[in-house]
Amino acid sequence: MSDPRALSGAYVTKTHRSTSYDFISPLKLDLVGKHVLITGGAWEDGIGFATASAFARAGVSIIAIADLHGISGHVVEKLKLLATQAGRPEPIVLGCTVDIAELQSVQALGDTLSKAFGGRLDVVVNNAAHQEPQVPFLDSDPRVYWRTWEVNVGGLMNMARVFLPIQLRSKTDKADSGLCVMINVASSGALSVRTGGSSYRSSKLAILRWTETLQMEYGDQGLLTYCVNPGAIKTKITEGLMPDSVRDRFPDHADVAGDTIAWLAAERRDWLGGRYLSCVWDMEELIQEKEKIVAEDKFKLRM
């Protein structure tokens, strides 16, 4: 019988990275002058905050974090402190409230941030997500089940509808052109089948193909997209949905996801565009496989 972990990309690199490491350290990156938007960053133990932290330590000048639950003043100040402790200029940090499943809410966020960003947006990290209880389909609440798709798929489409035009203009209109990178946070669950949680898994699978499609449609205008699996990390999204005995066994930590995302965004690697990547893969090993990845067009959906 095939190893399900192998089929979901667990062994792409020899080394599995559960925590951050020197090769992807934000302290080695230079993102001064760049503007970043991250969704889903309300909790300090989460992937969104870890990602914002990585960008702060990499020198980003403006960081906007948006969450359904809002962003506390403590989170804003902590990100500023993390930047200065890393020897970077204190960034502007904007904490915002948004329901990405509602286009009107995303448009209001866009109106606010387009002014704050001065029309420049380099990186969007679509991290906000919803997950339904781990029960079989017929036992699920139809409204909660569909909410997963409204957020995980519809929400990302709303974000792109509002912010992708700003990113594309930033790439073409500025003398110092923008990075124009969109990183969509998926899950290895998109590549496996288990009982329960089918709305979450299928929504993340849909985002893999959508990410590929955006790369095909807008790559010639400068867009660079990635779809990333952050790893098996104990965060708020699974609280109350899985037993703590299961959550406590998750082996990975949020810093490896956050630092990998910042590393991917910091330098344009067009040959990786549109692909599924896992933050627990060793990035140094991965880029050594560039020729094989390109020749075989790996890490995209296919039979």
Side-chain angles (χ1 to χ4, degrees):
M1 182 179 292
S2 299
D3 181 348
R5 283 176 50 79
L7 296 176
S8 60
Y11 310 123
V12 167
T13 62
K14 293 179 181 179
T15 306
H16 178 107
R17 296 288 190 176
S18 285
T19 59
S20 191
Y21 49 104
D22 185 65
F23 186 75
I24 60 169
S25 171
L27 302 182
K28 293 184 171 183
L29 307 177
D30 182 8
L31 288 172
V32 174
K34 307 304 184 187
H35 301 170
V36 176
L37 169 59
I38 302 159
T39 63
W43 315 112
E44 289 184 51
D45 60 352
I47 294 160
F49 179 82
T51 301
S53 168
F55 279 115
R57 290 178 287 128
V60 163
S61 297
I62 304 180
I63 305 171
I65 321 172
D67 194 284
L68 179 65
H69 304 284
I71 304 296
S72 71
H74 173 73
V75 165
V76 169
E77 293 305 316
K78 186 166 184 178
L79 289 170
K80 293 178 181 179
L81 180 62
L82 287 169
T84 56
Q85 287 177 337
R88 308 291 193 170
E90 182 178 287
I92 296 171
V93 180
L94 306 169
C96 308
T97 302
V98 68
D99 181 354
I100 64 169
E102 297 293 334
L103 180 58
Q104 187 174 3
S105 180
V106 178
Q107 288 171 331
L109 178 67
D111 292 341
T112 299
L113 294 183
S114 62
K115 298 173 184 176
F117 285 148
R120 176 182 185 132
L121 180 55
D122 293 278
V123 180
V124 172
V125 180
N126 286 311
N127 169 68
H130 180 269
Q131 187 167 350
E132 76 282 6
Q134 301 288 299
V135 297
F137 172 69
L138 290 179
D139 296 331
S140 66
D141 181 321
R143 293 167 298 178
V144 176
Y145 193 90
W146 185 241
R147 173 69 178 174
T148 298
W149 268 72
E150 288 179 327
V151 174
N152 296 0
V153 179
L156 270 63
M157 292 177 178
N158 289 338
M159 288 291 295
R161 197 168 295 281
V162 172
F163 291 104
L164 180 54
I166 302 173
Q167 288 190 278
L168 294 174
R169 287 195 298 270
S170 300
K171 182 66 179 172
T172 58
D173 291 352
K174 306 293 183 184
D176 174 21
S177 66
L179 290 169
C180 201
V181 174
M182 180 190 294
I183 299 180
N184 299 321
V185 177
S187 169
S188 62
L191 306 176
S192 62
V193 179
R194 296 178 187 174
T195 298
S198 57
S199 187
Y200 181 79
R201 291 173 182 276
S202 59
S203 71
K204 294 299 188 178
L205 179 63
I207 289 304
L208 265 65
R209 179 63 84 197
W210 183 70
T211 301
E212 288 183 48
T213 304
L214 285 183
Q215 183 66 44
M216 178 175 288
E217 291 179 342
Y218 296 100
D220 61 350
Q221 297 181 46
L223 178 64
L224 182 58
T225 64
Y226 302 113
C227 202
V228 302
N229 162 40
I233 302 167
K234 181 181 176 180
T235 66
K236 289 283 186 183
I237 197 171
T238 56
E239 193 173 71
L241 302 182
M242 297 179 183
D244 285 341
S245 60
V246 174
R247 298 171 71 240
D248 289 342
R249 293 200 301 270
F250 288 167
D252 306 318
H253 299 269
D255 65 337
V256 75
D259 288 5
T260 300
I261 288 169
W263 180 84
L264 286 169
E267 178 183 329
R268 288 186 61 89
R269 297 175 179 85
D270 294 88
W271 58 277
L272 272 178
R275 302 180 196 277
Y276 167 91
L277 305 170
S278 178
C279 293
V280 300
W281 296 345
D282 184 283
M283 292 296 118
E284 187 171 16
E285 291 180 28
L286 183 74
I287 62 175
Q288 291 172 355
E289 297 296 315
K290 174 182 176 179
E291 291 186 7
K292 183 177 182 180
I293 292 168
V294 173
E296 299 180 12
D297 205 18
K298 296 172 72 69
F299 313 138
K300 294 183 179 179
L301 290 177
R302 66 187 64 194
M303 294 293 287

